[in-house]
Amino acid sequence: METKIVKLGINGEGIGYVQKKPVFIPGALPEEVVEFRIVNKQPRYLEGKLERVKKKSPYRIRPVCPHQGRCDGCPLMVLNESEQRKLKQENFVQTMQKYANISEKVMEPMIDNPNPFAYRNQCKLPVVMEKGKIVNAMYMQNSNFTVPIRTCYVQEVGLEKMRQAILDVLNAYHLSAYDHAKKKGIRYLVIRGLDDQYQCTLVTGEDYFPESLSEDLMKIKGLKSLYQSIQTTKNTPNIFGKKMIHLAGAKTIEFHLDDIVMRLSVQSFFQLNTKQAKTMYRLVKEMVPMNCDWILEGYSGIGGISLYLKDHAKEITGVEYIESAVRNANENAKRNHADHVHFVAGDAAEVMTRMLKKRTPDVIIVDPPRAGLDDAMMETLLRSKAKQIIYISCNPSTLAKNLAVLQDRYLVKRMVLLDMFSQTQHVESITLLIKKK
Ligand code: SAH
């Protein structure tokens, strides 16, 4: 079959139409005429597999990565970067207009990613066997199957070197990839690197490793912290298991963001693009007035945003449900001499609802996961008397849905888009909302 691609879908696929029904075709780009085969027929849409590009997009480029097209990681790598940003911005504008009726006038052009490649400071990659050795893999598009990868071009160069060095040591010990039947072997390699200090977690079955393995791994230059996490649950979205063992080195790694010094532990979330995280924090700082009494931040992770704002308020409170992240955040406040900044563990909606009943902050900041704000949080924000809300989002669909409701009481004043995840379909944004009179 043949179709003309008219639009980029939210998962980075091309969208065409066949007898008025949308067909989603991964790998096809807007403006292209493509031949495809139907692989999934649904009442309201079709899914196609790209067979041949008959008319190429002028923006199509040859991808640098040999795994592109099979690996699920970077669907937009076949598109030149300025066109990636243009299409992501257009999709963002359309989503905001369609679902929340927000004027394009408040939306600013997407800020470039200074490193469109080699920007990720962390990896969580499955481990598979290839020719008797363990290698990393990535999931294939829409499936649980994996494709072995050599180099990942969106990961920082130092991270890639560290990953290879770790694999070399694991292979010198003739270790194997995870075997569900035996509950033994290496399942994932999780590595994070900030300021050239690396933390590695081997996610494994019920394996005991010789002391010398940890010693040999810790000889790798830059590796500062080593953990093992035992995860034997089948088909779980959680990479880490409940049992986390500190094998060697420091428990946390330390890094700097502008003039803030931070530490984080294995289970804590941190932004995966360090440079763009700083850009984002600086933008939030620019949006928040000086001389506030109280700022309340939900989904605060290890506390970066609140600490950037430390000179803007007499008191700042962050709420986060991962306890180790809350511990990191409170220690980070001390480390930065911010005794007026505190972090509390718990569900953001629950804790913030309770707090807001007693007291009104000048500014509320939220940075929820992809699912966006839940009903309880929406209810609380709608009732709040805060003059200003800043909503940081990594998912335009849930953002638009939430803003459509928040606009009852708050005016969308400014939206800044950030290219944080180049080569992928993801869009990060910061929305400034002002309380209506
Ligand atoms: N603003 C932070 C982290 C944002 S990511 C930063 O810049 O680093 C979202 C965070 O929300 C994660 O740390 C996650 O653990 C936390 N989280 C997810 N659901 C939550 C909930 N219901 N209540 C509180 N925190 C939650």
Side-chain angles (χ1 to χ4, degrees):
M1 293 186 101
E2 191 178 301
T3 188
K4 181 167 183 193
I5 304 298
V6 293
K7 198 175 155 14
L8 188 74
I10 54 169
N11 297 315
E13 73 284 30
I15 304 180
Y17 285 86
V18 176
Q19 289 160 0
K20 295 194 178 155
K21 231 187 226 185
V23 48
F24 301 106
I25 309 172
L29 297 174
E31 296 179 44
E32 291 188 330
V33 177
V34 298
E35 286 175 5
F36 67 99
R37 183 162 50 85
I38 294 176
V39 288
N40 183 4
K41 235 182 191 165
Q42 294 291 328
R44 298 183 61 182
Y45 67 91
L46 306 167
E47 282 175 15
K49 180 166 181 348
L50 180 65
E51 304 230 286
R52 194 163 82 89
V53 180
K54 269 184 95 175
K55 185 178 154 262
K56 253 192 198 175
S57 156
Y59 308 106
R60 182 179 276 277
I61 54 169
R62 181 193 281 269
V64 294
C65 177
H67 310 302
Q68 213 285 330
R70 292 199 298 146
C71 164
D72 200 20
C74 302
L76 300 190
M77 202 185 260
V78 289
L79 196 58
N80 84 24
E81 278 141 29
S82 63
E83 193 65 13
Q84 287 185 22
R85 278 196 301 279
K86 185 175 147 235
L87 292 182
K88 288 202 269 190
Q89 174 114 17
E90 275 173 16
N91 270 6
F92 185 91
V93 171
Q94 276 174 18
T95 307
M96 294 310 138
Q97 286 177 336
K98 186 169 169 194
Y99 297 101
N101 201 17
I102 299 171
S103 156
E104 195 177 344
K105 282 192 204 124
V106 300
M107 298 175 214
E108 296 173 22
M110 185 179 275
I111 297 174
D112 286 11
N113 188 352
N115 303 100
F117 289 95
Y119 59 83
R120 283 184 70 109
N121 58 27
Q122 52 192 288
C123 67
K124 293 177 180 165
L125 294 172
V127 168
V128 298
M129 294 308 280
E130 194 186 51
K131 296 186 188 136
K133 285 192 164 178
I134 62 173
V135 295
N136 281 124
M138 266 292 289
Y139 288 102
M140 292 173 88
Q141 281 162 359
N142 300 324
S143 86
N144 284 329
F145 291 107
T146 55
V147 41
I149 57 161
R150 296 276 162 281
T151 306
C152 175
Y153 289 85
V154 291
Q155 285 171 191
E156 287 181 0
V157 175
L159 177 66
E160 278 297 279
K161 281 192 184 146
M162 178 58 65
R163 188 173 65 76
Q164 198 50 58
I166 291 170
L167 285 175
D168 289 346
V169 174
L170 300 179
N171 278 317
Y173 278 78
H174 305 291
L175 298 177
S176 298
Y178 185 63
D179 180 337
H180 273 297
K182 295 186 188 140
K183 296 194 173 177
K184 284 251 158 76
I186 316 268
R187 199 163 169 182
Y188 294 97
L189 207 53
V190 178
I191 313 170
R192 204 142 55 169
L194 290 142
D195 286 357
D196 297 323
Q197 297 201 34
Y198 291 84
Q199 180 173 60
C200 169
T201 308
L202 306 173
V203 181
T204 69
E206 289 153 354
D207 299 73
Y208 289 95
F209 299 119
E211 191 83 354
S212 60
L213 175 69
S214 300
E215 285 165 15
D216 286 341
L217 284 169
M218 292 305 290
K219 283 180 195 152
I220 301 170
K221 191 166 171 264
L223 188 62
K224 300 286 178 202
S225 171
L226 183 64
Y227 282 84
Q228 178 184 2
S229 170
I230 296 178
Q231 175 57 292
T232 52
T233 310
K234 251 189 173 171
N235 303 327
T236 164
N238 299 327
I239 297 224
F240 292 142
K242 285 202 180 80
K243 197 161 170 201
M244 186 69 82
I245 307 161
H246 177 226
L247 293 178
K251 287 199 169 156
T252 53
I253 49 171
E254 185 172 291
F255 63 102
H256 293 79
L257 293 174
D258 292 323
D259 56 351
I260 304 286
V261 49
M262 308 264 275
R263 271 176 186 263
L264 89 169
S265 0
V266 179
Q267 292 102 325
S268 309
F269 170 90
F270 184 65
Q271 302 287 342
L272 60 81
N273 181 334
T274 317
K275 279 199 177 146
Q276 288 299 68
K278 281 191 224 172
T279 310
M280 190 242 276
Y281 292 174
R282 289 178 198 144
L283 279 160
V284 172
K285 196 166 158 176
E286 184 189 304
M287 290 177 184
V288 173
M290 296 302 288
N291 303 318
C292 294
D293 278 321
W294 184 36
I295 297 172
L296 180 58
E297 185 198 0
Y299 315 89
S300 49
I302 59 167
I305 296 175
S306 285
L307 290 173
Y308 261 62
L309 296 173
K310 69 183 165 60
D311 299 328
H312 287 241
K314 288 198 192 98
E315 195 182 340
I316 303 177
T317 311
V319 186
E320 157 67 45
Y321 76 173
I322 304 267
E323 292 196 7
S324 69
V326 175
R327 264 197 305 282
N328 292 154
N330 279 319
E331 284 161 17
N332 289 337
K334 279 207 197 92
R335 216 163 264 128
N336 292 284
H337 314 290
D339 298 333
H340 60 301
V341 182
H342 302 279
F343 298 89
V344 181
D347 171 62
E350 216 176 288
V351 175
M352 287 167 73
T353 304
R354 212 166 49 229
M355 288 178 169
L356 287 168
K357 276 190 182 143
K358 293 190 201 130
R359 196 176 162 198
T360 301
D362 301 81
V363 182
I364 297 176
I365 299 165
V366 287
D367 183 5
R370 290 186 59 74
L373 302 174
D374 57 21
D375 292 348
M377 180 58 100
M378 288 297 293
E379 190 68 23
T380 291
L381 291 184
L382 280 173
R383 283 189 195 173
S384 103
K385 297 187 187 71
K387 290 192 275 297
Q388 188 175 318
I389 295 176
I390 296 175
Y391 186 153
I392 301 154
S393 154
C394 56
N395 184 350
S397 308
T398 53
L399 173 68
K401 203 177 98 201
N402 289 156
L403 290 180
V405 179
L406 285 175
Q407 284 183 111
D408 254 6
R409 306 278 163 85
Y410 283 87
L411 182 79
V412 175
K413 178 92 177 168
R414 185 176 171 200
M415 300 184 97
V416 186
L417 279 70
L418 269 173
D419 195 13
M420 220 176 199
F421 316 104
S422 304
Q423 323 304 336
T424 81
Q425 67 279 28
H426 299 293
V427 178
E428 184 84 7
S429 65
I430 312 173
T431 302
L432 172 64
L433 297 131
I434 305 284
K435 178 93 185 155
K436 285 184 182 170
K437 292 262 154 38

